[in-house]
Amino acid sequence: MIEVSQNYLQKSIERGFIDSNIVAPLTYRPQLLLNNEQEQVLPTLLQELKTCKEFFISVAFITESGLAMLKTVLYELSLRNIKGRILTSTYLNFNNPKVFKELLKLKNVEVRLTDIDGFHAKGYYFKHENFETFIVGSSNLTANALKKNYEWNIKLTTLEHGELINNFHDQFETLWTKSYPLTIEWIRQYEQLYTPPNTNQVVLEVPMNVLENPLSRTLEIKPNKMQEKALAQIAGLRNQGAEKALVISATGTGKTYLSAFDVRAFRPKKFLFIVHREQILKKAMQDYQQIIGGDLDEYGLLTGNSKDIHAKYLFATIQTISKQEILNAFDPTEFDYILIDEVHKAGASSYLKVINYFKPSFLLGMTATPERTDDFNIYEVFDYNVAYEIRLQEALEEDMLCPFHYFGITDFEVEGEEIQSTKEFQYLDQEKRVDHVLERVSYYGHSGEKLKGLVFCANKKEAHTLATLFTQRNHPSVALTGEDSQEVREKTIRELENGEIDYIFTVDIFNEGIDIPVVNQIIMLRQTQSSIVFIQQLGRGLRKHPQKEFVTIIDFIGNYENNYLIPVALSGDQTLNKDTIRRKTVDMSFIKGISTVNFEEIAKQRIFDSITNTNLSTQKNLKEKYEQLKNRLGHIPSLVDFMENNSIDPYVLIGTNKTYYQFLHKMKEDIPNLSEYEVQVLYMIGEELMNGKRVHELLLLNELLQCSTLSKQEFIHLLNKKEVRTDYETIASMERILTLEFFTQAFQKRYGGQSLVVVENDVYELNIPLQNEYFKQHMQDLLNVGLRKSEKYDQQKIFTLYEKYSRKDACRLLNWRSDMSSTVYGYKRVEDSCPLFVTYHKDEKLSTSVHYGDELITPELFKWYSRTPRTLKSKELEKIIHAKEHGVKIHLFIQKEGAEGTDFYYLGEVEAEANKAQQEKIETLKGDQVDVVTIEFDLKQSIKMPIYHYLKNEEV
């Protein structure tokens, strides 16, 4: 391995400093680390930590949020007894006392402080098995520096005797010996002397108790960027004559202020605000006073205790205003502007009663979660006018929410077994479970000086029991359930806000509508049953507050079937596509801003197991998503509609139904009939072409759908215009697909038995009857989906790195004359190409009689085992070992495990190290010895680290 590293390192240095065209592995290559759209500093830092044997960090500035980003990987390192050192300082009083307390929690990290004048060093040094890496530049250990700010950092790799790394190490050791250890006694002294640095930032807080607000003051309050855009779109709808509109906005993005701004612009003679809880009502009225101003007498409540029905701005609970005697007190046209908050509840009879009674000039609905599992169509109520929509990821990107650090950690175990269901709680050792929770919660911490936490439990008994046990452990806590009155709830919330208690334990009464901005820690002690509820609960901590920099989300993940919902909720992915959800779990870089998602190793594996073992595409799930989109659009969706609205992946939708036409029949839609042949054609296009992995067939069919015939010359011109391949072999392969010549007889029969396209005298002619307009619409829809999907593939190349392909895909895209996927097995050479298909983690129950030891040694080196019995003299292997001399290109495809299905990640072209091919003996399951050949392949492109660790089961 030392020789391998030295060889790789030499190539990398040559590429970095001499010639950028030299092929060199990414692992050792000099890199400039920035925070841009493609990458952040953080993933590289995590990768180096995860794989190192020892680490040293020297930084002037450390923030709690920056340290939180590393806590999961540092915890995993502590389990492997990997230790490190951090050198920092009190330069400019930037580091607050609390961050030093957080550093003391790192049991495997020794921390020292230097008092060197002007200490401003920023360097990260990692010792690996046979090389060393250091990162130096502008990034301190702060959240902004690691994920958001524009930074310049150089990453360099060296062997241990390199001069530069030795100088770096010597400087660190010199400073280290002159520094003093971080202790709790030192922190106490520092607290006495500490004065926060002047950041020249002014935090503006809106006063809560306002009786009057003059117009001049209200006009000083301006809408934020999101609100400006939403207000313009609401006004635009009104100008077009719309009388109703719906706003979909993530929790914490200022929906109430938004509506108040719109009411201020509308200037109603009388306004009605409706919501389901009095606590929300009172806060909304205060917000409106801030924005609209005016006399207190103009504002009134309509609740069980207040009946200010003559107020110009009336704030009513639905429970009160829906009473018939209350409704009768109002003229149906009395309010010219009505707003319903948390409007996803409007399917209830009480809401419908009120909506049907009043006739306002304008009706606005607001919700963070319009999705419903019943048959009620909230969009229909608002005439399908969605004025504005902003979901979690967009809100984070716009910096509208408080950043969060999510930690998915392993739930409590009893005698080595995790909690399997909430029913087992009563049988657990409750004391030990609380110890486990408090230990993990203390490690991951919270932002701000005083803990103010919200804990979501599985049931009422658990909430009360845990609140008692937490209180006994010096964390004063109160349990709140649906049985508690509004007065008790408000009192308990005030106690949390005032620091009288640390935690509120609840089941689901705080899922929505409750505004407690001071919450800086959320603990989830229940399995995720719904992605909607998950986001509602996470959202309780996302409101900004001057006393917190971020909110900590700690999710205790057991061995639950629904764990797949966690990445679904965090990403907002609704495709039901297992591969997409896996990718979102493997790489969480899609989380915007300085928020992060971190999974401890076992917890992440639980999620992967859940994705693998759960049938996401059940008819129930498909029907639910279908009806949600149909309700939103007001008509039967097309397949493209699902893509445009971030709903089910069309490939998943038709996967168990063969065609969308057949799915619509199952949904009992009243649609025109298609012939058996038309259905077969749709099946073929959906099954073979809609994935977009090669665009040629889609482009030709799309053109022929418009004009029936097209010369080959015209088609080649179109391909050149689209900048895709026009080589003879690819064109011939496309023709074999569309004439069905490529497919086996069984598939030809399944796809209608006749050519979709006739090729004659260099002219393409569509061979599909198009008299049925409804059939033509379905065919066009499939082609549109395929063309959209094709955009993620590099159409200049045969395969696209890290996309997934089946053996059948490989046969088609490698331009083989026929589908030989049933005989490809692990590898097959046809003319000048040879795909290798590897299942990395073999299922012992399903694998062959031989245990193969295929192994990714590094992101650039793969050790492969041939079939058995084979020797170095086997002709098929000679062409692989000496592929370069024979002009054969070898393509590597790997899947993590067989349960993932038929698709494999494409990891690029590989080249055998011919001198390292070896003939070995391996043992069969029966104990026999058989011949096998092992070959080490160099990958032309280093594997991306998230994919590499995922395949090897090494999570970062």
Side-chain angles (χ1 to χ4, degrees):
M1 286 294 293
I2 292 176
E3 295 82 2
V4 171
S5 292
Q6 193 161 340
N7 179 42
Y8 284 162
L9 183 58
Q10 187 166 339
K11 289 182 179 179
S12 298
I13 292 171
E14 290 175 357
R15 178 188 173 100
F17 294 98
I18 300 173
D19 184 355
S20 63
N21 294 313
I22 293 173
V23 177
L26 185 62
T27 301
Y28 306 93
R29 199 184 303 167
Q31 288 178 268
L32 179 63
L33 301 179
L34 311 168
N35 288 323
N36 54 26
E37 291 184 2
Q38 286 72 43
E39 62 180 21
Q40 290 94 33
V41 176
L42 180 62
T44 302
L45 196 59
L46 292 176
Q47 153 63 21
E48 293 297 327
L49 280 169
K50 182 68 178 183
T51 56
C52 74
K53 300 299 180 185
E54 188 179 8
F55 63 91
F56 311 134
I57 296 174
S58 173
V59 286
F61 302 152
I62 305 176
T63 63
E64 292 178 67
S65 189
L67 186 60
M69 291 176 169
L70 308 186
K71 278 192 172 180
T72 297
V73 69
L74 291 175
Y75 170 73
E76 298 287 354
L77 290 178
S78 71
L79 298 180
R80 291 162 37 207
N81 200 32
I82 302 296
K83 297 182 179 181
R85 291 186 276 171
I86 295 178
L87 181 65
T88 186
S89 73
T90 58
Y91 182 54
L92 297 180
N93 270 7
F94 182 91
N95 297 337
N96 66 43
K98 186 164 180 284
V99 81
F100 289 120
K101 294 178 184 178
E102 294 298 313
L103 286 166
L104 280 183
K105 293 178 182 178
L106 308 176
K107 302 305 180 186
N108 58 324
V109 180
E110 185 180 357
V111 181
R112 288 193 181 185
L113 299 127
T114 176
D115 53 10
I116 188 172
D117 188 37
F119 178 77
H120 208 233
K122 293 174 279 289
Y124 304 82
Y125 169 39
F126 309 93
K127 283 190 174 183
H128 295 277
E129 188 68 44
N130 50 9
F131 64 94
E132 302 183 13
T133 300
F134 63 103
I135 298 169
V136 291
S138 61
S139 288
N140 276 295
L141 190 48
T142 71
N144 284 323
L146 298 185
K147 204 167 184 277
K148 186 178 180 181
N149 290 346
Y150 184 79
E151 303 278 344
W152 276 13
N153 298 283
I154 293 292
K155 174 194 168 192
L156 295 172
T157 301
T158 174
L159 298 183
E160 62 178 340
H161 299 300
E163 181 179 23
L164 194 58
I165 199 68
N166 280 321
N167 286 342
F168 185 97
H169 185 263
D170 290 346
Q171 284 296 313
F172 184 90
E173 291 296 339
T174 298
L175 283 176
W176 185 262
T177 56
K178 295 179 180 179
S179 301
Y180 45 91
L182 177 67
T183 64
I184 192 63
E185 291 77 16
W186 179 89
I187 295 174
R188 288 177 182 143
Q189 293 175 12
Y190 182 63
E191 284 178 317
Q192 300 299 317
L193 302 173
Y194 175 74
T195 55
N198 181 10
T199 60
N200 295 319
Q201 293 179 347
V202 178
V203 178
L204 297 176
E205 290 190 69
V206 177
M208 297 296 291
N209 300 312
V210 177
L211 296 181
E212 288 190 18
N213 202 18
L215 181 61
S216 60
R217 177 174 171 81
T218 67
L219 294 176
E220 292 175 2
I221 305 175
K222 304 292 184 182
N224 62 31
K225 183 178 177 182
M226 180 279 288
Q227 290 164 344
E228 285 181 350
K229 186 175 180 181
L231 289 167
Q233 293 183 199
I234 295 171
L237 281 173
R238 274 201 298 265
N239 291 337
Q240 296 169 20
E243 297 178 351
K244 301 175 181 178
L246 182 65
V247 170
I248 303 168
S249 186
T251 300
T253 52
K255 293 192 298 294
T256 306
Y257 266 39
L258 164 65
S259 66
F261 284 123
D262 192 57
V263 171
R264 186 171 77 180
F266 190 93
R267 299 175 67 186
K269 294 178 181 177
K270 197 167 184 181
F271 166 75
L272 176 63
F273 185 107
I274 302 173
V275 77
H276 64 295
R277 286 193 180 141
E278 187 172 341
Q279 183 183 357
I280 306 173
L281 206 63
K282 292 177 180 177
K283 177 63 169 65
M285 188 169 74
Q286 292 173 345
D287 290 342
Y288 268 67
Q289 289 169 351
Q290 290 298 307
I291 302 300
I292 297 175
D295 297 331
L296 178 64
D297 293 343
E298 293 184 297
Y299 296 83
L301 294 173
L302 181 55
T303 65
N305 299 319
S306 301
K307 301 293 186 295
D308 304 322
I309 62 175
H310 299 296
K312 179 178 180 179
Y313 301 102
L314 184 59
F315 294 78
T317 61
I318 187 63
Q319 295 86 346
T320 301
I321 199 169
S322 61
K323 293 178 180 178
Q324 193 61 52
E325 64 271 21
I326 299 293
L327 278 178
N328 291 340
F330 297 100
D331 185 283
T333 61
E334 187 156 345
F335 300 99
D336 44 347
Y337 193 131
I338 295 178
L339 184 142
I340 303 176
D341 197 10
E342 307 292 348
V343 75
H344 53 277
K345 297 179 177 293
S349 58
S350 56
Y351 281 89
L352 294 175
K353 183 179 179 181
V354 172
I355 290 170
N356 293 330
Y357 180 82
F358 287 112
K359 308 297 178 187
S361 299
F362 190 67
L363 175 67
L364 182 67
M366 299 192 305
T367 179
T369 54
E371 297 84 3
R372 294 178 60 89
T373 55
D374 57 23
D375 294 329
F376 180 71
N377 187 353
I378 188 67
Y379 298 99
E380 184 180 17
V381 173
F382 291 90
D383 298 337
Y384 304 99
N385 292 327
V386 178
Y388 190 73
E389 178 172 7
I390 185 166
R391 299 291 181 128
L392 176 63
Q393 294 305 325
E394 299 164 289
L396 288 171
E397 190 168 12
E398 294 292 336
D399 194 28
M400 299 169 66
L401 302 176
C402 175
F404 68 87
H405 295 301
Y406 168 95
F407 300 98
I409 65 181
T410 310
D411 208 343
F412 179 63
E413 296 182 353
V414 177
E415 295 180 355
E417 295 186 7
E418 289 188 355
I419 304 168
Q420 299 298 309
S421 72
T422 56
K423 294 179 181 178
E424 293 183 23
F425 175 75
Q426 57 186 316
Y427 304 111
L428 297 177
D429 185 334
Q430 297 169 355
E431 300 282 342
K432 289 184 178 179
R433 188 189 190 201
V434 170
D435 290 341
H436 171 74
V437 171
L438 285 175
E439 186 270 327
R440 308 306 295 125
V441 164
S442 172
Y443 177 77
Y444 287 112
H446 59 86
S447 175
E449 292 301 319
K450 178 65 178 174
L451 170 62
K452 295 176 182 179
L454 190 56
V455 185
F456 290 98
C457 302
N459 53 56
K460 296 174 184 177
K461 180 180 179 181
E462 182 178 87
H464 284 286
T465 302
L466 290 177
T468 299
L469 292 173
F470 268 57
T471 300
Q472 292 172 358
R473 284 166 168 73
N474 299 317
H475 283 289
S477 303
V478 173
L480 283 180
T481 70
E483 298 169 353
D484 293 298
S485 67
Q486 185 65 35
E487 291 72 20
V488 170
R489 296 180 192 185
E490 291 182 3
K491 175 179 178 293
T492 304
I493 290 172
R494 285 196 300 272
E495 290 174 347
L496 184 74
E497 291 174 331
N498 296 334
E500 298 170 40
I501 60 175
D502 288 351
Y503 287 106
I504 295 176
F505 286 76
T506 186
V507 182
D508 55 14
I509 62 170
F510 284 1
N511 286 2
E512 58 189 3
I514 301 298
D515 191 8
I516 319 177
V518 297
V519 166
N520 55 20
Q521 186 187 84
I522 290 177
I523 304 174
M524 297 179 177
L525 291 174
R526 80 294 167 274
Q527 60 176 304
T528 301
Q529 298 284 8
S530 160
S531 59
I532 295 173
V533 172
F534 181 96
I535 290 299
Q536 287 175 336
Q537 294 179 347
L538 181 146
R540 295 308 99 206
L542 296 185
R543 292 191 184 275
K544 291 186 174 184
H545 193 274
Q547 293 178 13
K548 67 182 184 184
E549 179 188 354
F550 59 92
V551 59
T552 303
I553 314 292
I554 306 172
D555 191 358
F556 287 82
I557 300 174
N559 191 19
Y560 304 133
E561 293 178 2
N562 288 341
N563 281 338
Y564 72 90
L565 288 170
I566 296 172
V568 166
L570 289 166
S571 67
D573 183 276
Q574 299 297 319
T575 62
L576 299 182
N577 185 314
K578 288 189 175 186
D579 180 53
T580 304
I581 299 171
R582 280 193 194 96
R583 287 174 184 266
K584 295 286 174 65
T585 310
V586 168
D587 185 0
M588 285 283 178
S589 60
F590 60 82
I591 298 292
K592 303 298 182 183
I594 59 172
S595 298
T596 59
V597 173
N598 313 269
F599 293 104
E600 291 182 1
E601 206 164 303
I602 295 174
K604 180 174 270 192
Q605 189 55 49
R606 296 292 186 210
I607 294 174
F608 285 133
D609 291 342
S610 172
I611 296 170
T612 297
N613 298 329
T614 304
N615 181 9
L616 302 185
S617 56
T618 62
Q619 208 64 19
K620 178 178 178 292
N621 285 346
L622 298 181
K623 181 180 180 181
E624 179 182 315
K625 297 293 183 186
Y626 169 78
E627 289 180 344
Q628 284 177 358
L629 185 56
K630 181 184 176 183
N631 285 344
R632 175 163 187 158
L633 300 176
H635 58 76
I636 295 174
S638 68
L639 290 173
V640 169
D641 284 331
F642 287 99
M643 297 185 74
E644 289 181 342
N645 289 277
N646 301 310
S647 186
I648 320 171
D649 184 337
Y651 200 73
V652 174
L653 185 61
I654 68 174
T656 56
N657 297 279
K658 293 189 176 180
T659 68
Y660 189 40
Y661 169 78
Q662 289 163 299
F663 174 78
L664 292 177
H665 265 295
K666 290 182 181 179
M667 296 298 102
K668 298 182 170 30
E669 297 287 6
D670 184 14
I671 55 176
N673 290 323
L674 298 182
S675 69
E676 181 183 0
Y677 175 69
E678 288 169 334
V679 173
Q680 289 173 322
V681 171
L682 295 179
Y683 179 34
M684 183 272 173
I685 297 173
E687 180 72 14
E688 304 292 347
L689 309 180
M690 191 184 70
N691 57 39
K693 294 175 183 178
R694 187 167 70 189
V695 76
H696 298 68
E697 293 90 340
L698 296 164
L699 287 172
L700 181 56
L701 287 176
N702 193 54
E703 290 297 309
L704 293 177
L705 207 56
Q706 318 305 322
C707 58
S708 295
T709 62
L710 187 73
S711 72
K712 188 175 291 191
Q713 184 178 359
E714 290 172 323
F715 181 59
I716 297 295
H717 177 72
L718 173 65
L719 295 180
N720 285 324
K721 190 176 179 181
K722 299 285 186 181
E723 297 183 346
V724 301
R725 301 189 310 279
T726 59
D727 58 282
Y728 170 81
E729 293 79 8
T730 299
I731 301 301
S733 171
M734 176 203 72
E735 293 172 357
R736 288 193 294 271
I737 296 294
L738 295 178
T739 60
L740 304 188
E741 179 186 345
F742 171 81
F743 302 102
T744 63
Q745 287 187 350
F747 274 92
Q748 288 178 9
K749 184 178 180 181
R750 196 175 299 174
Y751 296 153
Q754 65 183 55
S755 298
L756 277 64
V757 172
V758 173
V759 188
E760 204 169 287
N761 298 323
D762 284 341
V763 173
Y764 297 116
E765 181 176 357
L766 194 65
N767 196 38
I768 306 169
L770 296 178
Q771 291 83 358
N772 187 337
E773 186 62 31
Y774 187 63
F775 164 70
K776 187 176 178 180
Q777 290 173 11
H778 271 276
M779 186 171 167
Q780 184 67 69
D781 192 23
L782 286 168
L783 297 177
N784 289 342
V785 171
L787 289 169
R788 285 185 176 229
K789 284 181 169 287
S790 71
E791 293 172 3
K792 74 174 182 176
Y793 297 96
D794 186 347
Q795 298 293 337
Q796 287 282 358
K797 298 178 180 177
I798 298 174
F799 303 110
T800 301
L801 274 173
Y802 312 121
E803 295 301 332
K804 297 188 83 172
Y805 299 87
S806 66
R807 291 177 172 86
K808 191 174 186 180
D809 290 330
C811 295
R812 174 167 76 105
L813 299 178
L814 287 169
N815 300 330
W816 292 0
R817 294 199 60 82
S818 61
D819 176 13
M820 292 184 274
S821 56
S822 62
T823 60
V824 170
Y825 306 115
Y827 59 96
K828 191 177 188 74
R829 187 185 67 82
V830 174
E831 297 178 353
D832 61 352
S833 61
C834 178
L836 303 181
F837 288 91
V838 177
T839 299
Y840 201 82
H841 297 279
K842 280 78 172 174
D843 187 334
E844 294 184 4
K845 297 177 182 177
L846 302 177
S847 63
T848 62
S849 60
V850 176
H851 285 305
Y852 293 94
D854 301 314
E855 181 186 5
L856 284 166
I857 298 172
T858 71
E860 299 83 21
L861 185 63
F862 175 64
K863 184 177 182 180
W864 176 77
Y865 282 66
S866 72
R867 286 192 285 263
T868 58
R870 295 294 187 274
T871 68
L872 288 171
K873 296 180 180 179
S874 300
K875 290 184 179 180
E876 66 183 61
L877 294 181
E878 195 275 335
K879 291 286 180 69
I880 292 176
I881 295 170
H882 301 285
K884 190 173 183 180
E885 293 91 320
H886 292 289
V888 175
K889 291 186 177 180
I890 304 174
H891 300 273
L892 179 60
F893 300 84
I894 297 183
Q895 65 174 190
K896 183 175 182 177
E897 55 193 16
E900 287 189 357
T902 60
D903 286 357
F904 296 69
Y905 288 99
Y906 177 61
L907 301 182
E909 289 185 42
V910 297
E911 189 174 303
E913 295 190 18
N915 61 330
K916 293 188 178 179
Q918 294 182 350
Q919 182 176 321
E920 301 177 8
K921 294 278 188 182
I922 59 174
E923 190 173 308
T924 68
L925 297 182
K926 296 180 179 179
D928 301 325
Q929 296 287 318
V930 292
D931 289 316
V932 69
V933 173
T934 62
I935 303 174
E936 289 188 5
F937 287 104
D938 288 319
L939 280 74
K940 291 190 176 180
Q941 180 77 35
S942 298
I943 305 172
K944 284 197 307 187
M945 284 302 172
I947 296 291
Y948 176 74
H949 289 293
Y950 169 69
L951 293 172
K952 285 176 68 71
N953 246 3
E954 297 174 355
E955 309 304 345
V956 175

